[in-house]
Amino acid sequence: MKVGIVGAGMVGSSAGYALAILGIASDIVFVDRNEALAVAQAEDISHAVPFVSATTVLAGGYADLAGAGVVIIAAGVSQKPGEGRLELLERNAAVFRDVVTQVLKAAPKAILLIASNPVDIMTQIATRLSGLPAQRVIGSGTILDTARFRSLVGRHLGIAPQSVHAYVLGEHGDSEVLAWSNARAGSVALRSFADQVGKPLTEATRGAIDDGVRNAAYKIINGKGSTYYGIGAGLARIVKAIAHDERDVLSVSIVTPRVGDVTDVALSVPRIVGAGGVAADLFPQLDEAEFAALNHSASLLKERVETVKLG
Ligand SMILES: NC(=O)C1=CN([C@@H]2O[C@H](COP(=O)(O)OP(=O)(O)OC[C@H]3O[C@@H](n4cnc5c(N)ncnc54)[C@H](O)[C@@H]3O)[C@@H](O)[C@H]2O)C=CC1
Ligand SMILES: CC(=O)C(=O)O
């Protein structure tokens, strides 16, 4: 599958690198308003390809996105140390007004995969601007937070993160919800698994994991300016599910008709992802506090998205 990447900065190039290294895309085309950057990223990544795959990696203009099955949008500004994701909204909404129609004109059949923050609201904006069905405008949502959650739980229990079945729901951001109550390790309820291996999930442990997930981006941005490897791999994972029609269950963001008492809001729940984009939404059983937190997250997002004027 041909994959377009608009925004050849840290996130776009990391996604392109992961796609090329894993051989998920047949062709990758980078587009950026900084053309020299797009060319340089394409050239650099193409020099990794002979070691591992046969992906063609080029830079171009919007017209070169023709025939793309997926176009990743990672254009815009990112957080400075201390800045929250929601503070990027106005600037990135302006970028999307510029980008989305040009992408669609060149690649009308593409699934849009949104990475720019605040990713849930940007996904809802891209859905409105494109007029595409919600299933075809997918935000990376909490795919990264879910990976962070699984990684920290796996580390605590001394098992592979792939054996941890747990999701982060709601906003990719400060109001996200770690769904502890239905989490499992292997097929065993998480709390029972933890007790059986002598690594109980005390309140302090859960608090530390919650903090590690919720504040990961702030800590990384303080240390090195931005985050990109994690989301680069997450975006490649979503493209793989689409390109190979894998029907994986992934926590991604699309405009969702109802979450609790909030209607038409983009946020993450586990969803089946395959060739056509999102094939189904899954609402896990939550305890009362988690359900209230998800409802709160949905309300916050809805409030913010309603402040955005598109034309
Ligand atoms: N969804 C997620 O989990 C994550 C999302 N992000 C978000 O991804 C976005 C990109 O982050 P970085 O790559 O670190 O930023 P970056 O600054 O390295 O790259 C952004 C690129 O967008 C380009 N750009 C800006 N306006 C454009 C336009 N109108 N048309 C075409 N290209 C344009 C810039 O030239 C630049 O190359 C940010 O919004 C960031 O917050 C970052 C990490 C994780
Ligand atoms: C920056 C960002 O959204 C993250 O790393 O989670």
PDB file of all heavy atoms in Angstrom, residues 142-159:
ATOM      1  N   THR A 142      -5.524   7.073  21.845  1.00  0.00           N
ATOM      2  CA  THR A 142      -4.756   6.579  22.992  1.00  0.00           C
ATOM      3  C   THR A 142      -3.918   5.341  22.655  1.00  0.00           C
ATOM      4  O   THR A 142      -3.540   4.599  23.557  1.00  0.00           O
ATOM      5  CB  THR A 142      -5.689   6.252  24.176  1.00  0.00           C
ATOM      6  OG1 THR A 142      -6.671   5.318  23.700  1.00  0.00           O
ATOM      7  CG2 THR A 142      -6.369   7.486  24.740  1.00  0.00           C
ATOM      8  N   ILE A 143      -3.624   5.142  21.368  1.00  0.00           N
ATOM      9  CA  ILE A 143      -2.802   3.957  21.052  1.00  0.00           C
ATOM     10  C   ILE A 143      -1.459   4.033  21.788  1.00  0.00           C
ATOM     11  O   ILE A 143      -0.934   3.026  22.284  1.00  0.00           O
ATOM     12  CB  ILE A 143      -2.610   3.773  19.526  1.00  0.00           C
ATOM     13  CG1 ILE A 143      -2.122   2.351  19.269  1.00  0.00           C
ATOM     14  CG2 ILE A 143      -1.650   4.798  18.917  1.00  0.00           C
ATOM     15  CD1 ILE A 143      -2.419   1.819  17.907  1.00  0.00           C
ATOM     16  N   LEU A 144      -0.922   5.248  21.911  1.00  0.00           N
ATOM     17  CA  LEU A 144       0.370   5.439  22.580  1.00  0.00           C
ATOM     18  C   LEU A 144       0.229   5.299  24.093  1.00  0.00           C
ATOM     19  O   LEU A 144       1.077   4.690  24.751  1.00  0.00           O
ATOM     20  CB  LEU A 144       0.911   6.820  22.189  1.00  0.00           C
ATOM     21  CG  LEU A 144       2.219   7.277  22.790  1.00  0.00           C
ATOM     22  CD1 LEU A 144       3.337   6.274  22.519  1.00  0.00           C
ATOM     23  CD2 LEU A 144       2.613   8.648  22.206  1.00  0.00           C
ATOM     24  N   ASP A 145      -0.845   5.850  24.636  1.00  0.00           N
ATOM     25  CA  ASP A 145      -1.067   5.757  26.087  1.00  0.00           C
ATOM     26  C   ASP A 145      -1.298   4.299  26.485  1.00  0.00           C
ATOM     27  O   ASP A 145      -0.832   3.842  27.536  1.00  0.00           O
ATOM     28  CB  ASP A 145      -2.287   6.607  26.480  1.00  0.00           C
ATOM     29  CG  ASP A 145      -2.276   7.932  25.752  1.00  0.00           C
ATOM     30  OD1 ASP A 145      -2.598   7.935  24.541  1.00  0.00           O
ATOM     31  OD2 ASP A 145      -1.901   8.958  26.338  1.00  0.00           O
ATOM     32  N   THR A 146      -2.015   3.565  25.640  1.00  0.00           N
ATOM     33  CA  THR A 146      -2.240   2.144  25.893  1.00  0.00           C
ATOM     34  C   THR A 146      -0.903   1.395  25.886  1.00  0.00           C
ATOM     35  O   THR A 146      -0.656   0.532  26.738  1.00  0.00           O
ATOM     36  CB  THR A 146      -3.218   1.585  24.826  1.00  0.00           C
ATOM     37  OG1 THR A 146      -4.511   2.124  25.101  1.00  0.00           O
ATOM     38  CG2 THR A 146      -3.290   0.072  24.841  1.00  0.00           C
ATOM     39  N   ALA A 147      -0.024   1.747  24.962  1.00  0.00           N
ATOM     40  CA  ALA A 147       1.310   1.109  24.924  1.00  0.00           C
ATOM     41  C   ALA A 147       2.093   1.447  26.194  1.00  0.00           C
ATOM     42  O   ALA A 147       2.766   0.589  26.782  1.00  0.00           O
ATOM     43  CB  ALA A 147       2.075   1.569  23.689  1.00  0.00           C
ATOM     44  N   ARG A 148       1.983   2.708  26.641  1.00  0.00           N
ATOM     45  CA  ARG A 148       2.701   3.116  27.863  1.00  0.00           C
ATOM     46  C   ARG A 148       2.145   2.357  29.071  1.00  0.00           C
ATOM     47  O   ARG A 148       2.898   1.903  29.940  1.00  0.00           O
ATOM     48  CB  ARG A 148       2.545   4.632  28.060  1.00  0.00           C
ATOM     49  CG  ARG A 148       3.353   5.441  27.055  1.00  0.00           C
ATOM     50  CD  ARG A 148       2.976   6.921  27.071  1.00  0.00           C
ATOM     51  NE  ARG A 148       3.873   7.698  26.201  1.00  0.00           N
ATOM     52  CZ  ARG A 148       3.565   8.862  25.666  1.00  0.00           C
ATOM     53  NH1 ARG A 148       2.380   9.419  25.884  1.00  0.00           N
ATOM     54  NH2 ARG A 148       4.434   9.494  24.903  1.00  0.00           N
ATOM     55  N   PHE A 149       0.825   2.208  29.120  1.00  0.00           N
ATOM     56  CA  PHE A 149       0.148   1.490  30.209  1.00  0.00           C
ATOM     57  C   PHE A 149       0.642   0.034  30.234  1.00  0.00           C
ATOM     58  O   PHE A 149       1.067  -0.499  31.265  1.00  0.00           O
ATOM     59  CB  PHE A 149      -1.359   1.572  29.946  1.00  0.00           C
ATOM     60  CG  PHE A 149      -2.268   1.084  31.054  1.00  0.00           C
ATOM     61  CD1 PHE A 149      -1.828   0.952  32.364  1.00  0.00           C
ATOM     62  CD2 PHE A 149      -3.609   0.781  30.778  1.00  0.00           C
ATOM     63  CE1 PHE A 149      -2.694   0.519  33.373  1.00  0.00           C
ATOM     64  CE2 PHE A 149      -4.477   0.355  31.771  1.00  0.00           C
ATOM     65  CZ  PHE A 149      -4.010   0.207  33.069  1.00  0.00           C
ATOM     66  N   ARG A 150       0.605  -0.612  29.075  1.00  0.00           N
ATOM     67  CA  ARG A 150       1.009  -2.029  29.000  1.00  0.00           C
ATOM     68  C   ARG A 150       2.484  -2.204  29.362  1.00  0.00           C
ATOM     69  O   ARG A 150       2.876  -3.176  29.996  1.00  0.00           O
ATOM     70  CB  ARG A 150       0.731  -2.580  27.601  1.00  0.00           C
ATOM     71  CG  ARG A 150      -0.756  -2.666  27.335  1.00  0.00           C
ATOM     72  CD  ARG A 150      -1.067  -3.114  25.932  1.00  0.00           C
ATOM     73  NE  ARG A 150      -2.517  -3.133  25.742  1.00  0.00           N
ATOM     74  CZ  ARG A 150      -3.138  -3.681  24.720  1.00  0.00           C
ATOM     75  NH1 ARG A 150      -2.442  -4.255  23.751  1.00  0.00           N
ATOM     76  NH2 ARG A 150      -4.448  -3.657  24.640  1.00  0.00           N
ATOM     77  N   SER A 151       3.285  -1.235  28.935  1.00  0.00           N
ATOM     78  CA  SER A 151       4.711  -1.311  29.207  1.00  0.00           C
ATOM     79  C   SER A 151       4.968  -1.227  30.720  1.00  0.00           C
ATOM     80  O   SER A 151       5.721  -2.033  31.284  1.00  0.00           O
ATOM     81  CB  SER A 151       5.394  -0.172  28.444  1.00  0.00           C
ATOM     82  OG  SER A 151       6.652   0.074  28.961  1.00  0.00           O
ATOM     83  N   LEU A 152       4.310  -0.288  31.412  1.00  0.00           N
ATOM     84  CA  LEU A 152       4.562  -0.123  32.844  1.00  0.00           C
ATOM     85  C   LEU A 152       3.981  -1.275  33.656  1.00  0.00           C
ATOM     86  O   LEU A 152       4.601  -1.738  34.616  1.00  0.00           O
ATOM     87  CB  LEU A 152       3.990   1.227  33.327  1.00  0.00           C
ATOM     88  CG  LEU A 152       4.715   2.461  32.780  1.00  0.00           C
ATOM     89  CD1 LEU A 152       4.083   3.746  33.300  1.00  0.00           C
ATOM     90  CD2 LEU A 152       6.202   2.432  33.162  1.00  0.00           C
ATOM     91  N   VAL A 153       2.803  -1.754  33.261  1.00  0.00           N
ATOM     92  CA  VAL A 153       2.213  -2.901  33.977  1.00  0.00           C
ATOM     93  C   VAL A 153       3.084  -4.139  33.754  1.00  0.00           C
ATOM     94  O   VAL A 153       3.395  -4.885  34.690  1.00  0.00           O
ATOM     95  CB  VAL A 153       0.756  -3.146  33.515  1.00  0.00           C
ATOM     96  CG1 VAL A 153       0.241  -4.475  34.058  1.00  0.00           C
ATOM     97  CG2 VAL A 153      -0.156  -2.008  33.970  1.00  0.00           C
ATOM     98  N   GLY A 154       3.511  -4.344  32.503  1.00  0.00           N
ATOM     99  CA  GLY A 154       4.368  -5.491  32.191  1.00  0.00           C
ATOM    100  C   GLY A 154       5.664  -5.444  32.996  1.00  0.00           C
ATOM    101  O   GLY A 154       6.123  -6.458  33.534  1.00  0.00           O
ATOM    102  N   ARG A 155       6.228  -4.246  33.105  1.00  0.00           N
ATOM    103  CA  ARG A 155       7.486  -4.097  33.854  1.00  0.00           C
ATOM    104  C   ARG A 155       7.255  -4.437  35.334  1.00  0.00           C
ATOM    105  O   ARG A 155       8.052  -5.120  35.958  1.00  0.00           O
ATOM    106  CB  ARG A 155       7.978  -2.654  33.710  1.00  0.00           C
ATOM    107  CG  ARG A 155       9.460  -2.504  33.943  1.00  0.00           C
ATOM    108  CD  ARG A 155       9.912  -1.070  33.813  1.00  0.00           C
ATOM    109  NE  ARG A 155       9.822  -0.539  32.458  1.00  0.00           N
ATOM    110  CZ  ARG A 155       9.999   0.751  32.156  1.00  0.00           C
ATOM    111  NH1 ARG A 155      10.262   1.631  33.110  1.00  0.00           N
ATOM    112  NH2 ARG A 155       9.906   1.156  30.906  1.00  0.00           N
ATOM    113  N   HIS A 156       6.126  -3.972  35.880  1.00  0.00           N
ATOM    114  CA  HIS A 156       5.829  -4.256  37.287  1.00  0.00           C
ATOM    115  C   HIS A 156       5.658  -5.762  37.520  1.00  0.00           C
ATOM    116  O   HIS A 156       6.152  -6.310  38.507  1.00  0.00           O
ATOM    117  CB  HIS A 156       4.565  -3.498  37.726  1.00  0.00           C
ATOM    118  CG  HIS A 156       4.111  -3.866  39.105  1.00  0.00           C
ATOM    119  ND1 HIS A 156       4.780  -3.460  40.246  1.00  0.00           N
ATOM    120  CD2 HIS A 156       3.083  -4.660  39.528  1.00  0.00           C
ATOM    121  CE1 HIS A 156       4.182  -3.968  41.305  1.00  0.00           C
ATOM    122  NE2 HIS A 156       3.144  -4.704  40.902  1.00  0.00           N
ATOM    123  N   LEU A 157       4.950  -6.414  36.598  1.00  0.00           N
ATOM    124  CA  LEU A 157       4.649  -7.840  36.789  1.00  0.00           C
ATOM    125  C   LEU A 157       5.786  -8.752  36.337  1.00  0.00           C
ATOM    126  O   LEU A 157       5.762  -9.952  36.594  1.00  0.00           O
ATOM    127  CB  LEU A 157       3.380  -8.221  36.006  1.00  0.00           C
ATOM    128  CG  LEU A 157       2.086  -7.510  36.406  1.00  0.00           C
ATOM    129  CD1 LEU A 157       0.943  -7.940  35.491  1.00  0.00           C
ATOM    130  CD2 LEU A 157       1.740  -7.805  37.860  1.00  0.00           C
ATOM    131  N   GLY A 158       6.751  -8.192  35.594  1.00  0.00           N
ATOM    132  CA  GLY A 158       7.834  -9.009  35.055  1.00  0.00           C
ATOM    133  C   GLY A 158       7.385  -9.853  33.878  1.00  0.00           C
ATOM    134  O   GLY A 158       7.849 -10.990  33.704  1.00  0.00           O
ATOM    135  N   ILE A 159       6.463  -9.318  33.058  1.00  0.00           N
ATOM    136  CA  ILE A 159       6.010 -10.050  31.853  1.00  0.00           C
ATOM    137  C   ILE A 159       6.063  -9.116  30.643  1.00  0.00           C
ATOM    138  O   ILE A 159       6.174  -7.892  30.783  1.00  0.00           O
ATOM    139  CB  ILE A 159       4.566 -10.602  32.014  1.00  0.00           C
ATOM    140  CG1 ILE A 159       3.563  -9.461  32.247  1.00  0.00           C
ATOM    141  CG2 ILE A 159       4.499 -11.619  33.146  1.00  0.00           C
ATOM    142  CD1 ILE A 159       2.111  -9.912  32.198  1.00  0.00           C
TER     143      ILE A 159
END
